[in-house]
């Protein structure tokens, strides 16, 4: 039951990781179902819940990578994203964001489609799953310096999309 | 990135600055520099804006997921094609070679749908139902190891019986809750 409750507590974060890797809700639910069954069947022994949560993130990340390699990712249309974003903004209580333009979304989606998984995974964990660099290092079994380098490289690639296209900032 | 001509602050340092990873003194030093360097201003804005747009893409992807009962939904997802295909052979055996033979050898057109087409649809439905029911049963049996999940497990057994009454899994579920 322990893994069941750890899974429930971390499901939002696991879901975010799947989403940020560009997989659809349907594919994501298949992945999480497999992760859940694997977890409940009996993962290796862990020292604590935090350790078990890291194991869940690692297994989910690995499953995402398998799908990531064989699926067409980030395949939604920019217009669909803008429409959904407008809906989300309507109900959001957070600070207002400057309007997003279709060309920016399209360019960014293209960049995400092409981006190497070794950069996209840490970016998703850091900027969407809200994990810090050392947690990411533990999950992906990478040195802290390597995680930081990958995060910086990923951020620079994303920023370059806007700079190269001369999109007005 | 477009050539970063500023030689005072590297672009990696600008990433660390916008992410708030620098010490207070270094943050102050970089902020002062950016205020007087148009090149670093543009790069800083691009770093912030590109992350905002990326996060918006991720958030709209997340919004496509079912809002409520997402965990139940995950547990009750259909089996993947591979898993369904794996049990297809045994289901076909259950249906009997005779029925399959009739399907293949005695085509009869009726209202645009032949008998074999109708039978094929029926077989497909039974395979899907058996697959779904078997998977739900397996998940319920896994959970049944934990006393805390007793009510959830019973609910799942009842669901299998109601939704897939003709399957082997439903028969097993009936025995479990008796």
């Amino acid at each position: 039951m322990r893994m069941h409750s750890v899974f429930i507590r971390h499901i939002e974060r696991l879901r975010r990781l799947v989403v940020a890797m560009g997989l659809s809700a349907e594919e994501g639910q298949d992945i999480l179902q497999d992760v859940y069954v694997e977890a409940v069947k009996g993962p290796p022994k862990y020292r604590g819940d935090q350790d078990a949560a890291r194991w869940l993130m690692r297994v989910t990340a690995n499953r995402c990578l398998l799908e990531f390699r064989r699926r067409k990712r980030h395949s939604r249309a920019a217009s669909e994203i803008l429409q959904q974003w407008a809906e989300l903004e309507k109900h959001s209580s957070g600070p207002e964001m400057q309007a997003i333009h279709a060309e920016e979304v399209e360019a960014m989606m293209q960049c995400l489609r092409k981006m190497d998984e070794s950069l996209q995974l840490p970016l998703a964990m850091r900027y969407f799953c809200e994990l810090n660099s050392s947690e990411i290092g533990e999950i992906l079994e990478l040195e802290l310096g390597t995680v930081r380098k990958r995060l910086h490289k990923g951020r620079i690639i994303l920023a370059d999309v806007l700079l190269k296209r001369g999109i007005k900032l | 990135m477009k050539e970063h001509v500023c030689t005072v602050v590297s672009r990696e340092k600008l990433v660390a600055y916008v992410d708030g990873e620098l010490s207070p003194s270094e943050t102050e030093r970089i902020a002062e520099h950016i205020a007087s360097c148009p090149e670093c201003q543009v790069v800083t804005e691009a770093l912030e804006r590109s992350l905002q747009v990326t996060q918006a893409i991720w958030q709209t992807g997340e919004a496509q997921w079912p809002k409520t009962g997402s965990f139940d939904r995950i547990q009750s997802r259909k089996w993947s094609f591979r898993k369904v295909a794996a049990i297809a052979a045994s289901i076909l055996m259950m249906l009997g070679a005779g029925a399959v033979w009739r399907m293949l050898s005695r085509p009869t057109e009726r209202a645009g749908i032949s008998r074999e087409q109708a039978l094929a649809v029926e077989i497909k439905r039974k395979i899907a139902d058996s697959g779904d029911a078997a998977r739900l049963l397996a998940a319920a049996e896994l959970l049944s190891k934990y006393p805390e999940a007793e009510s959830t497990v019973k609910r799942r057994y009842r669901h299998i019986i109601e939704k897939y009454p003709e399957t082997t899994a439903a028969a097993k579920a009936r025995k479990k809750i008796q």
Side-chain angles (χ1 to χ4, degrees), chain A residues 1 7 15-16 19-20 26 29-30 33-34 36 76 80 84-85 97 99 104 127 155 160, chain B residues 1-2 19 47 49 52 55 57-60 62 64-65 71 73-75 77 83 143 146:
Chain A
M1 207 59 200
F7 183 91
R15 192 167 76 176
R16 286 192 151 211
V19 166
E26 186 149 317
Q29 287 178 62
D30 278 342
Q33 178 191 288
D34 289 352
Y36 175 78
R76 288 178 299 141
E80 184 197 336
Q84 282 181 345
W85 179 251
M97 184 179 157
E104 286 176 311
Y127 299 106
R155 289 294 305 276
D160 199 27
Chain B
M1 178 169 279
K2 203 162 76 175
D19 279 0
L47 283 167
R49 178 73 180 161
Q52 282 181 340
Q55 285 174 328
I57 292 170
W58 289 338
Q59 280 171 26
T60 55
E62 192 184 25
Q64 291 190 319
W65 281 61
F71 180 61
R73 191 135 168 190
I74 283 161
Q75 288 184 304
R77 291 272 302 148
K83 290 170 189 168
L143 282 174
Y146 307 101

Side-chain angles (χ1 to χ4, degrees), chain A residues 85-96:
Chain A
W85 179 251
E87 277 297 308
L88 285 178
E89 282 285 89
K90 226 189 277 176
H91 304 293
S92 161
S93 55
E96 265 187 43

Side-chain angles (χ1 to χ4, degrees), chain A residues 12 17 31 60 69 122:
Chain A
E12 295 303 317
L17 181 61
I31 288 176
T60 308
R69 285 165 196 156

Side-chain angles (χ1 to χ4, degrees), chain A:
Chain A
M1 207 59 200
R2 179 178 156 207
M3 280 310 278
H4 171 81
S5 50
V6 174
F7 183 91
I8 297 291
R9 272 207 308 282
H10 290 84
I11 192 165
E12 295 303 317
R13 193 170 261 176
L14 299 175
R15 192 167 76 176
R16 286 192 151 211
L17 181 61
V18 174
V19 166
M21 293 302 283
L23 300 167
S24 71
E26 186 149 317
E27 292 156 355
Q29 287 178 62
D30 278 342
I31 288 176
L32 292 194
Q33 178 191 288
D34 289 352
V35 172
Y36 175 78
V37 170
E38 204 171 324
V40 179
K41 259 188 203 164
K45 297 270 178 227
Y46 287 103
R47 281 167 294 183
D49 283 1
Q50 210 181 357
D51 212 13
R54 275 190 214 115
W55 179 86
L56 280 175
M57 283 297 277
R58 192 177 306 134
V59 173
T60 308
N62 288 336
R63 287 288 285 105
C64 283
L65 290 181
L66 277 178
E67 293 300 316
F68 189 83
R69 285 165 196 156
R70 66 193 184 94
R71 303 260 186 194
K72 192 179 169 200
R73 300 117 36 198
H74 296 288
S75 54
R76 288 178 299 141
S79 57
E80 184 197 336
I81 290 171
L82 287 173
Q83 205 177 349
Q84 282 181 345
W85 179 251
E87 277 297 308
L88 285 178
E89 282 285 89
K90 226 189 277 176
H91 304 293
S92 161
S93 55
E96 265 187 43
M97 184 179 157
Q98 194 190 328
I100 302 177
H101 307 292
E103 53 179 352
E104 286 176 311
V105 173
E106 195 46 61
M108 214 53 77
M109 295 268 281
Q110 237 176 48
C111 175
L112 289 170
R113 273 195 285 270
K114 286 185 201 157
M115 187 181 275
D116 194 280
E117 64 198 32
S118 66
L119 302 180
Q120 197 164 154
L121 202 47
L123 281 177
M125 288 182 171
R126 172 74 175 80
Y127 299 106
F128 201 41
C129 302
E130 289 162 4
L131 294 165
N132 62 37
S133 300
S134 55
E135 288 169 322
I136 297 169
E138 283 165 14
I139 292 165
L140 299 178
E141 295 170 330
L142 294 171
E143 296 288 330
L144 183 61
T146 309
V147 174
R148 286 194 175 141
K149 270 186 198 159
R150 291 187 186 182
L151 287 171
H152 288 179
K153 195 172 173 189
R155 289 294 305 276
I156 288 164
I157 289 172
L158 290 176
D160 199 27
V161 172
L162 299 187
L163 292 170
K164 265 186 183 164
R165 289 184 163 244
I167 291 171
K168 200 181 166 192
L169 299 168

